[in-house]
Amino acid sequence: MELLRFFTAGNVDDGKSTLIGRLLYDSNSISTDIIDTLTKQSKAKAEDVDIDLALLTDGLRAEREQGITIDVAYKYFVTDKRKYIIADTPGHAQYTRNMFTGASNTDLAIILIDARNGITDQTKRHSIISSILGIPHVLICVNKMDLKNYDQAVFESIKKDYLAFAQPLGLKKISFIPVSALTGENVVNKSSNFLWYNGETLFDFLENVEIPQEEANNETRFQVQYVIRPQTQELHDYRGYAGALLSGTIRKGDQVRVFPIDALTTIEKIEKFENEVQEAAAGEPIILHLSDDLDISRGSTFVLENQLPEVSNEIDATICWMDNKPFQKGQKLLLQQNSFRAKVAIKSIEGKIDIHTLESTEEVSEIHLNEFCKVNIKTAELVSYDPYTKNRKTGAFILINENTNNTVAAGVIG
Amino acid sequence: MDYLDQLEAEAIYILREVAGQFERPALLFSGGKDSICLIHLALKAFRPGKFPFPLVHIDTGHNFQEALDFRDVLAEKIGEKLIVRKVEDTIRERKLVDGKGKFPSRNGLQTYTLLDTIEEFEFDACIGGARRDEEKARAKERIFSVRDEFGQWDPKKQRPELWNIYNGKIDKGENVRVFPISNWTELDVWNYIKRENIELPTIYFTHERECILTPQGQLMNTNEFVEIEPEDNVVIRNVRYRTVGDMTCTAAVESTAYTVDDIIKELKETKISERGATRMDDTLSEAAMEDRKKGGYF
Ligand SMILES: Nc1nc2c(ncn2[C@@H]2O[C@H](COP(=O)(O)OP(=O)(O)O)[C@@H](O)[C@H]2O)c(=O)[nH]1
Ligand SMILES: [Mg+2]
């Protein structure tokens, strides 16, 4: 069975929560006791509503009180073919950072557009974020088609507008489905109101969409999370580097280069769950043993000698600022890339990205919450990395404020 | 990779991040299936080394004897350190009052014991087996969930958590709750137990038990904390437990499942959620779990 991670985005009230609720409800993924509770809550809110499916994901008190989504909610459902992890992300611009959080490690973006409104600022914002995050596939669900008489012309015109807007974004793949989340039409079940549409329902789309295996095909990257040294009598000299193979494949006998110390060595042994294996593939948790005794600690990166990454103490990146307090020059920051950390300073802010046009402004000196900027970062230690477009695992990082310990920004390199 | 391999890899990655980022972590072990899975995952993450954390059990005093025995045998078998702290002692020392009502729960009180234990050992990270599919407040919580000095969760101040990059930096006195199996559902846990051949306490499987059948239709175990009254409908049924929490407020479900396969089949057929079927304490209010978490609960 396969695993598909996706997120839903779109403007407030475009129907994201309703769509997810509908998807789960019509695929029989909601338990009866939860349906009962939802029905009661729905009735309490509005007498004439049978069941408000949006209540399923709006789990916080403040969210139910205000009727909006503030933070990401994770939902799960399963078919015979796939397990799905859904991140229902907030639509409000002020919660963009939470949307970025939910979107970061997914394979698919579902962006809703209200058929009555067409493309909005939020559609643009979420599409650009999907493009910055390198989401492999974007699905546009044109929702509330029931309020537009299921008119094909409305759907086609939104599709045309979107493709024109998205053209410069470099999204890898874009698909479109007309739906009504409220009635469920084209979500799981087909409807006679959509006779002009002969594509897949949302559910069939999810079941059949290709799940990209980017990491498997990328160059080999491994990072040490934790050094295992039992120091017992039988295992006196045991020294294993535990971590996940971030991308590519690694084999016993491979020549590897270790960063940041920049040393060459050989993979002597690969262990997986106390068994020796000859090779490991992307994503596998393993323990590596090297033929040389080197100064290796948490955060050290291993790469194949013939697939070297970029190594530098200066990186160009696009960051999204996530802290309520704006960035100001001179702030002390830590960069974290998987398990690697280094002290850094943002040297220059080369320009703010207009999240609706993707255009870049002149140099600025402050970065505010939810703003995207191109920056130049100077690091106290050498960092080994790949451009994010080449490798999502080694091209992504977060910035931590050393004083408050908060995660204040997320960035992609290149 | 198969989906179970991916969930397993994610959990191991998180456990190793805890080992790499914290000075004094702990694994909260309840004796239930989720924390038994955590131990299995920790074995995979750290063997042939020792766990970089002790197992900590907050004993409510309302535990099933089978679960306690199982806990001791397991800790012994894997040779890892087990710390037990009792809610009873907290009640005595802090002069607290036990829960009231027909089925007095200690779910609220165990928060005190947990916070005292964290302080006693200066734990900076506590690994727990909570899953996002259990409850809607949990569905909102991060994998690394930062708690303040009082163990409180502030859902409005959650750190952004991107990709698989976990920020565990905290100040002294704060601690992080870490949930490696956040993305697993109840069915995933059972599929994993089956695949990995993981042993469980017997109460997860069908057995004959004397219960009170409540007017709401829940089967509550009879035990020393529950006073049987004349109007109670005491029945003997073939039941099993879906969770093994506080035995006075955890309901049993009728079942004929003898094996893990039977349980998986039963779960695919039943249409009632784990908490809905078994927990009395979450039905009290819509935001019951959110409020308990804000107060320092797991
Ligand atoms: N008529 C109609 N109303 C819809 C549809 N989808 C959602 N809604 C309504 O739009 C409102 C906002 O939905 P919600 O799911 O909360 O939107 P979110 O903010 O994107 O999560 C609710 O009142 C829904 O009932 C649809 O397809 N047709
Ligand atoms: Mg919503």
Side-chain angles (χ1 to χ4, degrees), chain B residues 151-164:
Chain B
Q152 300 180 97
W153 179 56
D154 184 349
K156 288 209 170 135
K157 276 206 211 138
Q158 299 204 85
R159 286 182 183 168
E161 189 167 80
L162 298 110
W163 297 286
N164 299 320

Side-chain angles (χ1 to χ4, degrees), chain A residues 32 61 64 71 76 83, chain B residues 140 183 188 271 286 291:
Chain A
T32 48
R61 189 197 296 274
R64 284 193 302 274
D71 208 334
Y76 308 86
K83 169 177 167 109
Chain B
K140 294 266 166 183
N183 287 325
D188 296 333
K271 293 262 100 202
E286 246 187 75
D291 292 341

Side-chain angles (χ1 to χ4, degrees), chain A residues 11-18 54 69 143-144 146-147 180-182:
Chain A
N11 209 352
V12 189
D13 282 348
D14 280 353
K16 297 175 295 296
S17 299
T18 310
T69 309
N143 189 32
K144 307 200 185 181
D146 54 308
L147 299 177
S180 168
L182 191 68

Side-chain angles (χ1 to χ4, degrees), chain B residues 18 24-28 52-56 123-128:
Chain B
V18 174
R24 270 184 290 279
L27 190 150
L28 299 177
F53 38 68
L55 315 179
V56 173
F123 290 133
D124 49 5
C126 296
I127 303 162

Side-chain angles (χ1 to χ4, degrees), chain B residues 190-204:
Chain B
W190 282 104
N191 281 327
Y192 190 68
I193 287 168
K194 175 182 161 171
R195 190 185 84 170
E196 302 287 310
N197 231 326
I198 298 172
E199 251 184 272
L200 293 178
T202 50
I203 46 175
Y204 280 109

Side-chain angles (χ1 to χ4, degrees), chain A residues 217-233:
Chain A
N217 302 322
N218 281 338
E219 295 186 341
T220 299
R221 302 288 183 256
F222 173 87
Q223 219 180 54
V224 178
Q225 291 185 271
Y226 182 67
V227 183
I228 295 181
R229 296 194 58 197
Q231 291 176 303
T232 55
Q233 232 155 27

Side-chain angles (χ1 to χ4, degrees), chain A residues 107-391:
Chain A
D107 309 308
L108 169 74
I110 298 185
I111 300 178
L112 275 80
I113 296 180
D114 185 328
R116 295 170 303 175
N117 306 334
I119 296 178
T120 61
D121 273 3
Q122 286 300 80
T123 317
K124 294 182 182 172
R125 177 182 278 269
H126 294 156
S127 302
I128 288 174
I129 291 174
S130 301
S131 130
I132 291 172
L133 283 170
I135 308 296
H137 197 148
V138 172
L139 170 68
I140 302 294
C141 278
V142 180
N143 189 32
K144 307 200 185 181
M145 286 297 290
D146 54 308
L147 299 177
K148 280 295 201 180
N149 289 319
Y150 307 93
D151 185 355
Q152 179 175 11
V154 171
F155 175 70
E156 295 298 342
S157 132
I158 290 175
K159 184 170 165 180
K160 191 164 137 262
D161 290 350
Y162 187 83
L163 286 172
F165 152 75
Q167 212 266 327
L169 299 191
L171 295 170
K172 291 173 202 157
K173 225 170 160 192
I174 308 174
S175 306
F176 298 86
I177 302 180
V179 298
S180 168
L182 191 68
T183 64
E185 289 161 293
N186 264 359
V187 179
V188 174
N189 302 315
K190 284 201 181 279
S191 150
S192 57
N193 285 320
F194 284 116
L195 286 178
W196 50 266
Y197 173 78
N198 42 32
E200 291 171 310
T201 61
L202 173 60
F203 181 80
D204 290 339
F205 173 90
L206 292 171
E207 287 280 271
N208 298 326
V209 66
E210 190 195 336
I211 302 176
Q213 307 294 335
E214 292 177 341
E215 272 80 38
N217 302 322
N218 281 338
E219 295 186 341
T220 299
R221 302 288 183 256
F222 173 87
Q223 219 180 54
V224 178
Q225 291 185 271
Y226 182 67
V227 183
I228 295 181
R229 296 194 58 197
Q231 291 176 303
T232 55
Q233 232 155 27
E234 321 83 270
L235 294 166
H236 192 74
D237 295 323
Y238 184 102
R239 193 183 178 86
Y241 301 106
L245 189 62
L246 300 171
S247 57
T249 320
I250 201 154
R251 289 182 190 81
K252 183 177 174 169
D254 274 345
Q255 281 233 309
V256 294
R257 190 163 283 279
V258 180
F259 293 103
I261 56 169
D262 198 3
L264 190 65
T265 179
T266 308
I267 302 290
E268 190 180 69
K269 185 166 145 191
I270 306 175
E271 271 182 289
K272 187 175 179 194
F273 309 150
E274 294 193 82
N275 293 317
E276 185 172 349
V277 294
Q278 294 306 303
E279 66 168 61
E284 287 190 71
I286 46 177
I287 297 175
L288 295 180
H289 297 260
L290 302 178
S291 56
D292 301 280
D293 227 348
L294 299 168
D295 174 21
I296 292 172
S297 54
R298 176 175 158 79
S300 293
T301 302
F302 302 179
V303 307
L304 293 189
E305 176 62 356
N306 57 359
Q307 300 177 344
L308 295 181
E310 317 252 348
V311 183
S312 170
N313 46 20
E314 235 187 279
I315 49 182
D316 288 319
T318 301
I319 63 168
C320 170
W321 194 254
M322 300 187 154
D323 201 23
N324 293 330
K325 289 204 204 80
F327 167 78
Q328 275 160 340
K329 282 246 164 82
Q331 235 175 53
K332 281 195 176 158
L333 298 168
L334 271 180
L335 174 146
Q336 184 175 343
Q337 171 216 42
N338 300 306
S339 309
F340 172 84
R341 274 190 192 156
K343 285 187 193 282
V344 299
I346 296 181
K347 274 287 151 206
S348 58
I349 309 167
E350 267 138 39
K352 196 149 59 184
I353 297 172
D354 182 328
I355 208 71
H356 308 118
T357 60
L358 208 58
E359 272 160 27
S360 218
T361 63
E362 319 263 275
E363 201 167 317
V364 290
S365 60
E366 278 198 345
I367 318 177
H368 297 267
L369 177 66
N370 296 326
E371 287 181 347
F372 288 74
C373 285
K374 283 201 189 309
V375 295
N376 176 265
I377 296 175
K378 191 117 176 74
T379 64
E381 269 180 80
L382 282 179
V383 184
S384 64
Y385 63 89
D386 296 287
Y388 186 77
T389 47
K390 226 178 125 191
N391 194 324

